[in-house]
Amino acid sequence: MKKLITLSLTALLVAAWTVSAFASEVVVYSARKEHLIKPLFEAYTAKTGVEVKYITGKAGALLERIKAEGANTPADLFITVDAGNLWHAAEEGVLQPLDSAVLTENIPTHLRDPQNRWVGLSVRARTIVYNKDKVNPSELSTYEALGSDEWKGRLLLRTSKKVYNQSLVASMIAEKGEAETEKIVKSWVANMPVAPFSSDTKALEAVVAGVGDVAVVNTYYFGRLLKKNPDLPLAIFWPNQQTTGVHMNVSGAGVTKHAKNQAEAVKLLEWLSSAEAQGKFASLNMEFPANESVKADPVVAAWGEFKGNPMNVAKYGEYQAAAIKLMDRAGYK
Amino acid sequence: MSESLKVHTAGETLSPPRRRLFRLQSPGWFAGAALLALVASVPLLVIVGHLLIPQQDVWQHLAENVLATLVANTALLLLCIVPLTAVMGVGLGWLTGACDYPGRKFFAWALVLPFAVPPYVFAFVYLGLFDFSGPVQTALRAAFPSMGFIDIRNVVGVASILSLAFYPYVYLMARSAFMTQGRTAMEAARTLGMKPSRAFFKVALPMARPFIAAGLVLVCMESLADFGAVSIFNYDTFTNAIYKAWFGLFSLESAAQLSSVLAIFVLIALVMEQRMRARMRFTEAGRSSQAERLKLTGFGKWAAFAASLLVFMLAFAVPCIQLAFWAWEVVGPDAVRYVSYSVKTLSLGLTGAAATTLCAMVLAFAKRNDPGHVMTWTSRIATLGYALPGTVLAVGIFIPASWLDAALIHLVSGVTDGKVSPIIQGSLGLMIVAYVVRFMAAAFGSVDSAMQRITPSIGEAARTMGVSGLALLRRIYLPMLNKGLMAGAILVLVDVMKEMPITLMMRPFGWDTLAVKIFEYTSEGEWELAAIPAVVLILVGLVPVLLLTRQSEK
């Protein structure tokens, strides 16, 4: 009887067996959206013949899926946005250390996990965008100064539920400690004329409409909006140039601990970090390449040179929970 | 043998209530229902299980800083949505179901169409139209330069959006109640000299109350589980707090604690509904569709027309026109790929609907055979998934499924020496199970209320003639349940097609649906791009929705 059960189960398994053991392929779980990765995967398959299978989803849900699948996970590569998400995946033990000279060469240290479990693949700057008709750039200086009285009723922010803001506040905690950061966040909250927005785009559109005069957003949202309508009275300001530098975040990837196609996954990751892929990877979303030997897209480069914060992005993960609690306390919705 | 039989019979006649608890009429059906309840409660148990892991600091933080707001916001939202959907659903259901006025035939089915529009689509369309930079406020400011900014991202805004999305639940239920019972009763009341308005409040409305309550419970559960619309409006409810605790604070434990509080809300709603239902018996009152419609005249006629038109415009025409405009701006030849997404969306919907309706029928039949507290609670538990946020439910199913997979693989790995892929996880089957758990309430509501309208004496009569079990179901009940089953299946079909979080997390490779595409674009704030899959989803959803109206028309 037991034999019969085992046999029928085997038959079931063979039927459900994917061809992974035979063809060259890499399986990717990606929180980066399909339209931002598919062209690269297609190019990679055309070049190497290696098939890239992927599903997209929310970072947290995909991570839970990898965790639940455990040793049986089909995922080889986990791509996500925001360093906090990458850090957390590593902390949860679903990623394995990368031993790749190519990656170390291509990606600067502060955009990589100190323990090499993930690497950044594109860089996004979270900066200040202002209404040219209402703000003289000389009024602007730092993120912190947006809490001062002169910005009362003029500051627009996205919701604190978005991981980008959590990372921004986390980086401030790492620099200044909780007490000072909480004061700053409270002063931001006091300066907002309306409740926080659900997206950066909505915040920017509200700046155009005149609800407020400045917003803190990722540069590519600004880029997208201007691409649609170049006449908008919006401009970028690079804050904290005399102090810590502009807050930088990454989208990045790591190879899963139980990857079935570990070698292929590393190869794909190396290719994504190469000069050949980096330009396209970044410019699909108007981001900055993580590989410093690659020039940014002309549209992006036109926003000007600036000093980025050299803090290792892994710090954002460490302080993320503290940042969320702090924003809750400060009444930042 | 005959001895023991006699003893049982004697026991039964002495204390019939005890019999219900300890000896079931049909243990087979009960076992099926119990199994369903078990599967449905697994995700909840997994979540509640995390309550046992102490997580003092996070919980304390939540209790001090966010819990009061959450409870107030959630309660306030329900307090707005319930009367809004009740007025819209009952009013329109009454007008199209029992009255006659210009356009009545058109509105009868047109007012069901909003069912095809997912709540998150309503949310991004209306925010696009009415927020600060939207065309409405821009035009108003141009006309009246002194006008300030109006923020629609508050409880009134969210409640209005969700009411537009969810009122069809009440509308369908109320309308069918008025059509089958109200008109006959109204006729009787009027021949006794009651004014139409008095007859409505004194006779028709009380008779339709259980149906209205059933619709409202669905509305409440959907509202509690909604994530998309409240996120777009940045309105804090339990759902987005659960997400934040889970994926932001990385505390599954406190997410579980919040989910348990949410589950209490749901249980309260269910118990209240049961109370309302318990007072009534509602078996069919003869050949009701023969009764005369109430002919509206003068002002009433046009007021009815205006009200129907207004709701139709707001809940369907306006969002569709806006989406069509957006989609037109960005549509290109690559839109052909949406054909394949539509096929997948539809096949998932059909499979999910078939499976869910089948399970709902088992549940309703078991309840019919063994009415009593045990079955009432079994069916309550089996339908609880409707109010759980999709992601919470998905994770709650995923964790035990992976245990099962690991065990299976362990068992098999002795035989095969190669690599083994997971069997259950990431399979379509598991996703269908999740849909069944999530949408059981929608199907069960229709099937069960259809079942309740069949006089119990029919089943008893059949039994005395020796028809029981499957034969009883097939020969007596199925033909009579036909309508309820179809209605339930279509409801679930549309619900599955609109479903986002479970599909996002559990789908196998290559099973991207239209909702998944909408998520990808809206989460990046690309409303115009999201409009294409949204338009396609509405178009594909229209077919079943029209079927649903046909069904309720018969």
Side-chain angles (χ1 to χ4, degrees), chain B residues 80-112:
Chain B
C80 294
I81 289 178
V82 168
L84 267 173
T85 49
V87 169
M88 284 160 75
V90 176
L92 296 169
W94 171 249
L95 288 175
T96 63
C99 304
D100 204 10
Y101 63 99
R104 191 256 309 166
K105 278 194 178 141
F106 166 76
F107 288 123
W109 59 267
L111 286 169
V112 191

PDB file of all heavy atoms in Angstrom, chain B residues 80-112:
ATOM      1  N   CYS B  80     -20.573  55.348   7.473  1.00  0.00           N
ATOM      2  CA  CYS B  80     -20.971  56.118   6.282  1.00  0.00           C
ATOM      3  C   CYS B  80     -21.424  55.204   5.160  1.00  0.00           C
ATOM      4  O   CYS B  80     -22.370  55.504   4.440  1.00  0.00           O
ATOM      5  CB  CYS B  80     -19.810  56.979   5.779  1.00  0.00           C
ATOM      6  SG  CYS B  80     -19.330  58.265   6.899  1.00  0.00           S
ATOM      7  N   ILE B  81     -20.703  54.084   4.979  1.00  0.00           N
ATOM      8  CA  ILE B  81     -20.977  53.220   3.832  1.00  0.00           C
ATOM      9  C   ILE B  81     -22.315  52.501   3.971  1.00  0.00           C
ATOM     10  O   ILE B  81     -23.067  52.388   3.001  1.00  0.00           O
ATOM     11  CB  ILE B  81     -19.831  52.200   3.638  1.00  0.00           C
ATOM     12  CG1 ILE B  81     -18.591  52.929   3.131  1.00  0.00           C
ATOM     13  CG2 ILE B  81     -20.228  51.119   2.651  1.00  0.00           C
ATOM     14  CD1 ILE B  81     -17.401  52.037   2.952  1.00  0.00           C
ATOM     15  N   VAL B  82     -22.623  52.037   5.181  1.00  0.00           N
ATOM     16  CA  VAL B  82     -23.856  51.254   5.353  1.00  0.00           C
ATOM     17  C   VAL B  82     -25.108  52.055   4.971  1.00  0.00           C
ATOM     18  O   VAL B  82     -25.879  51.614   4.119  1.00  0.00           O
ATOM     19  CB  VAL B  82     -23.945  50.662   6.780  1.00  0.00           C
ATOM     20  CG1 VAL B  82     -25.326  50.116   7.058  1.00  0.00           C
ATOM     21  CG2 VAL B  82     -22.900  49.563   6.943  1.00  0.00           C
ATOM     22  N   PRO B  83     -25.310  53.256   5.537  1.00  0.00           N
ATOM     23  CA  PRO B  83     -26.513  54.002   5.102  1.00  0.00           C
ATOM     24  C   PRO B  83     -26.468  54.389   3.625  1.00  0.00           C
ATOM     25  O   PRO B  83     -27.499  54.324   2.942  1.00  0.00           O
ATOM     26  CB  PRO B  83     -26.509  55.250   5.993  1.00  0.00           C
ATOM     27  CG  PRO B  83     -25.216  55.279   6.676  1.00  0.00           C
ATOM     28  CD  PRO B  83     -24.627  53.929   6.650  1.00  0.00           C
ATOM     29  N   LEU B  84     -25.282  54.760   3.113  1.00  0.00           N
ATOM     30  CA  LEU B  84     -25.188  55.149   1.706  1.00  0.00           C
ATOM     31  C   LEU B  84     -25.600  54.010   0.778  1.00  0.00           C
ATOM     32  O   LEU B  84     -26.423  54.174  -0.126  1.00  0.00           O
ATOM     33  CB  LEU B  84     -23.762  55.589   1.368  1.00  0.00           C
ATOM     34  CG  LEU B  84     -23.446  57.077   1.468  1.00  0.00           C
ATOM     35  CD1 LEU B  84     -21.956  57.312   1.266  1.00  0.00           C
ATOM     36  CD2 LEU B  84     -24.237  57.846   0.417  1.00  0.00           C
ATOM     37  N   THR B  85     -24.996  52.830   1.006  1.00  0.00           N
ATOM     38  CA  THR B  85     -25.320  51.707   0.130  1.00  0.00           C
ATOM     39  C   THR B  85     -26.752  51.234   0.366  1.00  0.00           C
ATOM     40  O   THR B  85     -27.417  50.786  -0.564  1.00  0.00           O
ATOM     41  CB  THR B  85     -24.353  50.520   0.346  1.00  0.00           C
ATOM     42  OG1 THR B  85     -24.271  50.265   1.740  1.00  0.00           O
ATOM     43  CG2 THR B  85     -22.985  50.811  -0.202  1.00  0.00           C
ATOM     44  N   ALA B  86     -27.223  51.357   1.621  1.00  0.00           N
ATOM     45  CA  ALA B  86     -28.603  50.929   1.899  1.00  0.00           C
ATOM     46  C   ALA B  86     -29.582  51.808   1.132  1.00  0.00           C
ATOM     47  O   ALA B  86     -30.496  51.301   0.463  1.00  0.00           O
ATOM     48  CB  ALA B  86     -28.882  50.993   3.403  1.00  0.00           C
ATOM     49  N   VAL B  87     -29.375  53.126   1.195  1.00  0.00           N
ATOM     50  CA  VAL B  87     -30.298  54.024   0.503  1.00  0.00           C
ATOM     51  C   VAL B  87     -30.231  53.796  -1.010  1.00  0.00           C
ATOM     52  O   VAL B  87     -31.264  53.642  -1.686  1.00  0.00           O
ATOM     53  CB  VAL B  87     -29.980  55.496   0.848  1.00  0.00           C
ATOM     54  CG1 VAL B  87     -30.740  56.440  -0.072  1.00  0.00           C
ATOM     55  CG2 VAL B  87     -30.340  55.770   2.304  1.00  0.00           C
ATOM     56  N   MET B  88     -29.005  53.741  -1.546  1.00  0.00           N
ATOM     57  CA  MET B  88     -28.871  53.540  -2.983  1.00  0.00           C
ATOM     58  C   MET B  88     -29.429  52.184  -3.409  1.00  0.00           C
ATOM     59  O   MET B  88     -30.222  52.079  -4.354  1.00  0.00           O
ATOM     60  CB  MET B  88     -27.398  53.636  -3.405  1.00  0.00           C
ATOM     61  CG  MET B  88     -26.869  55.054  -3.459  1.00  0.00           C
ATOM     62  SD  MET B  88     -25.074  55.082  -3.394  1.00  0.00           S
ATOM     63  CE  MET B  88     -24.668  54.550  -5.021  1.00  0.00           C
ATOM     64  N   GLY B  89     -29.016  51.138  -2.705  1.00  0.00           N
ATOM     65  CA  GLY B  89     -29.398  49.789  -3.105  1.00  0.00           C
ATOM     66  C   GLY B  89     -30.886  49.534  -2.942  1.00  0.00           C
ATOM     67  O   GLY B  89     -31.549  49.048  -3.855  1.00  0.00           O
ATOM     68  N   VAL B  90     -31.417  49.880  -1.777  1.00  0.00           N
ATOM     69  CA  VAL B  90     -32.832  49.604  -1.518  1.00  0.00           C
ATOM     70  C   VAL B  90     -33.713  50.508  -2.385  1.00  0.00           C
ATOM     71  O   VAL B  90     -34.670  50.049  -3.007  1.00  0.00           O
ATOM     72  CB  VAL B  90     -33.170  49.804  -0.023  1.00  0.00           C
ATOM     73  CG1 VAL B  90     -34.653  49.619   0.218  1.00  0.00           C
ATOM     74  CG2 VAL B  90     -32.369  48.832   0.822  1.00  0.00           C
ATOM     75  N   GLY B  91     -33.367  51.793  -2.445  1.00  0.00           N
ATOM     76  CA  GLY B  91     -34.163  52.735  -3.219  1.00  0.00           C
ATOM     77  C   GLY B  91     -34.246  52.314  -4.675  1.00  0.00           C
ATOM     78  O   GLY B  91     -35.341  52.186  -5.249  1.00  0.00           O
ATOM     79  N   LEU B  92     -33.076  52.073  -5.270  1.00  0.00           N
ATOM     80  CA  LEU B  92     -33.071  51.710  -6.684  1.00  0.00           C
ATOM     81  C   LEU B  92     -33.678  50.326  -6.894  1.00  0.00           C
ATOM     82  O   LEU B  92     -34.356  50.083  -7.891  1.00  0.00           O
ATOM     83  CB  LEU B  92     -31.652  51.766  -7.236  1.00  0.00           C
ATOM     84  CG  LEU B  92     -31.015  53.161  -7.219  1.00  0.00           C
ATOM     85  CD1 LEU B  92     -29.535  53.086  -7.528  1.00  0.00           C
ATOM     86  CD2 LEU B  92     -31.719  54.080  -8.215  1.00  0.00           C
ATOM     87  N   GLY B  93     -33.428  49.417  -5.946  1.00  0.00           N
ATOM     88  CA  GLY B  93     -34.005  48.080  -6.050  1.00  0.00           C
ATOM     89  C   GLY B  93     -35.527  48.150  -6.035  1.00  0.00           C
ATOM     90  O   GLY B  93     -36.216  47.445  -6.769  1.00  0.00           O
ATOM     91  N   TRP B  94     -36.051  49.036  -5.201  1.00  0.00           N
ATOM     92  CA  TRP B  94     -37.498  49.219  -5.112  1.00  0.00           C
ATOM     93  C   TRP B  94     -38.038  49.813  -6.420  1.00  0.00           C
ATOM     94  O   TRP B  94     -39.005  49.326  -6.988  1.00  0.00           O
ATOM     95  CB  TRP B  94     -37.812  50.125  -3.925  1.00  0.00           C
ATOM     96  CG  TRP B  94     -39.249  50.561  -3.853  1.00  0.00           C
ATOM     97  CD1 TRP B  94     -39.739  51.808  -4.050  1.00  0.00           C
ATOM     98  CD2 TRP B  94     -40.370  49.725  -3.579  1.00  0.00           C
ATOM     99  NE1 TRP B  94     -41.087  51.812  -3.916  1.00  0.00           N
ATOM    100  CE2 TRP B  94     -41.516  50.545  -3.624  1.00  0.00           C
ATOM    101  CE3 TRP B  94     -40.526  48.358  -3.306  1.00  0.00           C
ATOM    102  CZ2 TRP B  94     -42.797  50.065  -3.411  1.00  0.00           C
ATOM    103  CZ3 TRP B  94     -41.795  47.864  -3.088  1.00  0.00           C
ATOM    104  CH2 TRP B  94     -42.912  48.704  -3.142  1.00  0.00           C
ATOM    105  N   LEU B  95     -37.338  50.853  -6.901  1.00  0.00           N
ATOM    106  CA  LEU B  95     -37.813  51.520  -8.111  1.00  0.00           C
ATOM    107  C   LEU B  95     -37.854  50.563  -9.298  1.00  0.00           C
ATOM    108  O   LEU B  95     -38.861  50.455  -9.994  1.00  0.00           O
ATOM    109  CB  LEU B  95     -36.933  52.728  -8.433  1.00  0.00           C
ATOM    110  CG  LEU B  95     -37.087  53.933  -7.499  1.00  0.00           C
ATOM    111  CD1 LEU B  95     -36.086  55.014  -7.849  1.00  0.00           C
ATOM    112  CD2 LEU B  95     -38.510  54.482  -7.568  1.00  0.00           C
ATOM    113  N   THR B  96     -36.733  49.852  -9.522  1.00  0.00           N
ATOM    114  CA  THR B  96     -36.702  49.000 -10.715  1.00  0.00           C
ATOM    115  C   THR B  96     -37.425  47.683 -10.486  1.00  0.00           C
ATOM    116  O   THR B  96     -37.834  47.026 -11.433  1.00  0.00           O
ATOM    117  CB  THR B  96     -35.261  48.696 -11.156  1.00  0.00           C
ATOM    118  OG1 THR B  96     -34.623  47.965 -10.115  1.00  0.00           O
ATOM    119  CG2 THR B  96     -34.499  49.959 -11.460  1.00  0.00           C
ATOM    120  N   GLY B  97     -37.562  47.274  -9.221  1.00  0.00           N
ATOM    121  CA  GLY B  97     -38.155  45.971  -8.947  1.00  0.00           C
ATOM    122  C   GLY B  97     -39.667  46.007  -8.830  1.00  0.00           C
ATOM    123  O   GLY B  97     -40.353  45.045  -9.191  1.00  0.00           O
ATOM    124  N   ALA B  98     -40.207  47.105  -8.306  1.00  0.00           N
ATOM    125  CA  ALA B  98     -41.641  47.091  -8.012  1.00  0.00           C
ATOM    126  C   ALA B  98     -42.404  48.248  -8.629  1.00  0.00           C
ATOM    127  O   ALA B  98     -43.621  48.290  -8.556  1.00  0.00           O
ATOM    128  CB  ALA B  98     -41.843  47.099  -6.485  1.00  0.00           C
ATOM    129  N   CYS B  99     -41.684  49.241  -9.193  1.00  0.00           N
ATOM    130  CA  CYS B  99     -42.382  50.399  -9.734  1.00  0.00           C
ATOM    131  C   CYS B  99     -42.244  50.454 -11.249  1.00  0.00           C
ATOM    132  O   CYS B  99     -41.534  49.667 -11.854  1.00  0.00           O
ATOM    133  CB  CYS B  99     -41.824  51.694  -9.143  1.00  0.00           C
ATOM    134  SG  CYS B  99     -41.888  51.716  -7.362  1.00  0.00           S
ATOM    135  N   ASP B 100     -42.916  51.418 -11.815  1.00  0.00           N
ATOM    136  CA  ASP B 100     -42.792  51.649 -13.248  1.00  0.00           C
ATOM    137  C   ASP B 100     -42.572  53.136 -13.482  1.00  0.00           C
ATOM    138  O   ASP B 100     -43.331  53.959 -12.962  1.00  0.00           O
ATOM    139  CB  ASP B 100     -44.066  51.175 -13.961  1.00  0.00           C
ATOM    140  CG  ASP B 100     -43.761  50.860 -15.415  1.00  0.00           C
ATOM    141  OD1 ASP B 100     -42.551  50.842 -15.756  1.00  0.00           O
ATOM    142  OD2 ASP B 100     -44.710  50.649 -16.184  1.00  0.00           O
ATOM    143  N   TYR B 101     -41.503  53.449 -14.210  1.00  0.00           N
ATOM    144  CA  TYR B 101     -41.198  54.855 -14.523  1.00  0.00           C
ATOM    145  C   TYR B 101     -40.360  54.867 -15.794  1.00  0.00           C
ATOM    146  O   TYR B 101     -39.853  53.827 -16.220  1.00  0.00           O
ATOM    147  CB  TYR B 101     -40.489  55.530 -13.347  1.00  0.00           C
ATOM    148  CG  TYR B 101     -39.142  54.943 -13.009  1.00  0.00           C
ATOM    149  CD1 TYR B 101     -37.964  55.530 -13.453  1.00  0.00           C
ATOM    150  CD2 TYR B 101     -39.047  53.790 -12.233  1.00  0.00           C
ATOM    151  CE1 TYR B 101     -36.735  54.980 -13.139  1.00  0.00           C
ATOM    152  CE2 TYR B 101     -37.821  53.232 -11.919  1.00  0.00           C
ATOM    153  CZ  TYR B 101     -36.656  53.839 -12.371  1.00  0.00           C
ATOM    154  OH  TYR B 101     -35.452  53.299 -12.076  1.00  0.00           O
ATOM    155  N   PRO B 102     -40.176  56.024 -16.419  1.00  0.00           N
ATOM    156  CA  PRO B 102     -39.449  56.058 -17.691  1.00  0.00           C
ATOM    157  C   PRO B 102     -38.030  55.505 -17.526  1.00  0.00           C
ATOM    158  O   PRO B 102     -37.337  55.857 -16.579  1.00  0.00           O
ATOM    159  CB  PRO B 102     -39.398  57.561 -18.031  1.00  0.00           C
ATOM    160  CG  PRO B 102     -40.445  58.200 -17.208  1.00  0.00           C
ATOM    161  CD  PRO B 102     -40.660  57.353 -16.010  1.00  0.00           C
ATOM    162  N   GLY B 103     -37.609  54.651 -18.435  1.00  0.00           N
ATOM    163  CA  GLY B 103     -36.250  54.106 -18.400  1.00  0.00           C
ATOM    164  C   GLY B 103     -36.083  52.934 -17.451  1.00  0.00           C
ATOM    165  O   GLY B 103     -34.980  52.423 -17.277  1.00  0.00           O
ATOM    166  N   ARG B 104     -37.170  52.502 -16.820  1.00  0.00           N
ATOM    167  CA  ARG B 104     -37.069  51.453 -15.802  1.00  0.00           C
ATOM    168  C   ARG B 104     -36.380  50.194 -16.325  1.00  0.00           C
ATOM    169  O   ARG B 104     -35.498  49.633 -15.675  1.00  0.00           O
ATOM    170  CB  ARG B 104     -38.477  51.125 -15.293  1.00  0.00           C
ATOM    171  CG  ARG B 104     -38.531  50.254 -14.075  1.00  0.00           C
ATOM    172  CD  ARG B 104     -38.910  48.830 -14.339  1.00  0.00           C
ATOM    173  NE  ARG B 104     -40.122  48.693 -15.137  1.00  0.00           N
ATOM    174  CZ  ARG B 104     -40.483  47.554 -15.715  1.00  0.00           C
ATOM    175  NH1 ARG B 104     -39.728  46.489 -15.588  1.00  0.00           N
ATOM    176  NH2 ARG B 104     -41.571  47.498 -16.446  1.00  0.00           N
ATOM    177  N   LYS B 105     -36.745  49.785 -17.529  1.00  0.00           N
ATOM    178  CA  LYS B 105     -36.183  48.542 -18.082  1.00  0.00           C
ATOM    179  C   LYS B 105     -34.679  48.671 -18.294  1.00  0.00           C
ATOM    180  O   LYS B 105     -33.921  47.738 -18.039  1.00  0.00           O
ATOM    181  CB  LYS B 105     -36.866  48.195 -19.397  1.00  0.00           C
ATOM    182  CG  LYS B 105     -38.187  47.492 -19.164  1.00  0.00           C
ATOM    183  CD  LYS B 105     -38.715  46.848 -20.427  1.00  0.00           C
ATOM    184  CE  LYS B 105     -40.002  46.122 -20.141  1.00  0.00           C
ATOM    185  NZ  LYS B 105     -40.976  46.281 -21.224  1.00  0.00           N
ATOM    186  N   PHE B 106     -34.242  49.833 -18.765  1.00  0.00           N
ATOM    187  CA  PHE B 106     -32.817  50.063 -18.978  1.00  0.00           C
ATOM    188  C   PHE B 106     -32.068  50.074 -17.655  1.00  0.00           C
ATOM    189  O   PHE B 106     -31.070  49.381 -17.468  1.00  0.00           O
ATOM    190  CB  PHE B 106     -32.606  51.385 -19.717  1.00  0.00           C
ATOM    191  CG  PHE B 106     -31.186  51.864 -19.697  1.00  0.00           C
ATOM    192  CD1 PHE B 106     -30.228  51.266 -20.514  1.00  0.00           C
ATOM    193  CD2 PHE B 106     -30.794  52.909 -18.874  1.00  0.00           C
ATOM    194  CE1 PHE B 106     -28.911  51.703 -20.504  1.00  0.00           C
ATOM    195  CE2 PHE B 106     -29.472  53.346 -18.854  1.00  0.00           C
ATOM    196  CZ  PHE B 106     -28.539  52.744 -19.666  1.00  0.00           C
ATOM    197  N   PHE B 107     -32.575  50.851 -16.698  1.00  0.00           N
ATOM    198  CA  PHE B 107     -31.866  50.980 -15.422  1.00  0.00           C
ATOM    199  C   PHE B 107     -31.819  49.649 -14.674  1.00  0.00           C
ATOM    200  O   PHE B 107     -30.875  49.392 -13.941  1.00  0.00           O
ATOM    201  CB  PHE B 107     -32.527  52.055 -14.556  1.00  0.00           C
ATOM    202  CG  PHE B 107     -32.288  53.443 -15.061  1.00  0.00           C
ATOM    203  CD1 PHE B 107     -33.324  54.295 -15.368  1.00  0.00           C
ATOM    204  CD2 PHE B 107     -30.977  53.893 -15.239  1.00  0.00           C
ATOM    205  CE1 PHE B 107     -33.076  55.576 -15.842  1.00  0.00           C
ATOM    206  CE2 PHE B 107     -30.719  55.172 -15.713  1.00  0.00           C
ATOM    207  CZ  PHE B 107     -31.766  56.011 -16.019  1.00  0.00           C
ATOM    208  N   ALA B 108     -32.849  48.813 -14.863  1.00  0.00           N
ATOM    209  CA  ALA B 108     -32.886  47.536 -14.144  1.00  0.00           C
ATOM    210  C   ALA B 108     -31.567  46.779 -14.321  1.00  0.00           C
ATOM    211  O   ALA B 108     -31.011  46.260 -13.363  1.00  0.00           O
ATOM    212  CB  ALA B 108     -34.055  46.694 -14.630  1.00  0.00           C
ATOM    213  N   TRP B 109     -31.041  46.759 -15.554  1.00  0.00           N
ATOM    214  CA  TRP B 109     -29.764  46.058 -15.718  1.00  0.00           C
ATOM    215  C   TRP B 109     -28.571  47.001 -15.678  1.00  0.00           C
ATOM    216  O   TRP B 109     -27.501  46.659 -15.201  1.00  0.00           O
ATOM    217  CB  TRP B 109     -29.765  45.210 -16.988  1.00  0.00           C
ATOM    218  CG  TRP B 109     -30.002  45.978 -18.277  1.00  0.00           C
ATOM    219  CD1 TRP B 109     -31.197  46.178 -18.895  1.00  0.00           C
ATOM    220  CD2 TRP B 109     -29.015  46.617 -19.092  1.00  0.00           C
ATOM    221  NE1 TRP B 109     -31.028  46.912 -20.030  1.00  0.00           N
ATOM    222  CE2 TRP B 109     -29.694  47.195 -20.187  1.00  0.00           C
ATOM    223  CE3 TRP B 109     -27.624  46.744 -19.018  1.00  0.00           C
ATOM    224  CZ2 TRP B 109     -29.045  47.901 -21.195  1.00  0.00           C
ATOM    225  CZ3 TRP B 109     -26.971  47.451 -20.014  1.00  0.00           C
ATOM    226  CH2 TRP B 109     -27.667  48.021 -21.089  1.00  0.00           C
ATOM    227  N   ALA B 110     -28.772  48.241 -16.133  1.00  0.00           N
ATOM    228  CA  ALA B 110     -27.638  49.163 -16.183  1.00  0.00           C
ATOM    229  C   ALA B 110     -27.090  49.459 -14.794  1.00  0.00           C
ATOM    230  O   ALA B 110     -25.894  49.706 -14.625  1.00  0.00           O
ATOM    231  CB  ALA B 110     -28.048  50.460 -16.867  1.00  0.00           C
ATOM    232  N   LEU B 111     -27.939  49.425 -13.777  1.00  0.00           N
ATOM    233  CA  LEU B 111     -27.483  49.760 -12.435  1.00  0.00           C
ATOM    234  C   LEU B 111     -26.661  48.637 -11.808  1.00  0.00           C
ATOM    235  O   LEU B 111     -26.110  48.805 -10.726  1.00  0.00           O
ATOM    236  CB  LEU B 111     -28.685  50.111 -11.548  1.00  0.00           C
ATOM    237  CG  LEU B 111     -29.293  51.486 -11.861  1.00  0.00           C
ATOM    238  CD1 LEU B 111     -30.618  51.671 -11.160  1.00  0.00           C
ATOM    239  CD2 LEU B 111     -28.326  52.592 -11.476  1.00  0.00           C
ATOM    240  N   VAL B 112     -26.587  47.485 -12.470  1.00  0.00           N
ATOM    241  CA  VAL B 112     -25.730  46.406 -11.976  1.00  0.00           C
ATOM    242  C   VAL B 112     -24.325  46.534 -12.562  1.00  0.00           C
ATOM    243  O   VAL B 112     -23.364  45.987 -12.039  1.00  0.00           O
ATOM    244  CB  VAL B 112     -26.323  45.024 -12.324  1.00  0.00           C
ATOM    245  CG1 VAL B 112     -25.577  43.919 -11.591  1.00  0.00           C
ATOM    246  CG2 VAL B 112     -27.779  44.973 -11.964  1.00  0.00           C
TER     247      VAL B 112
END
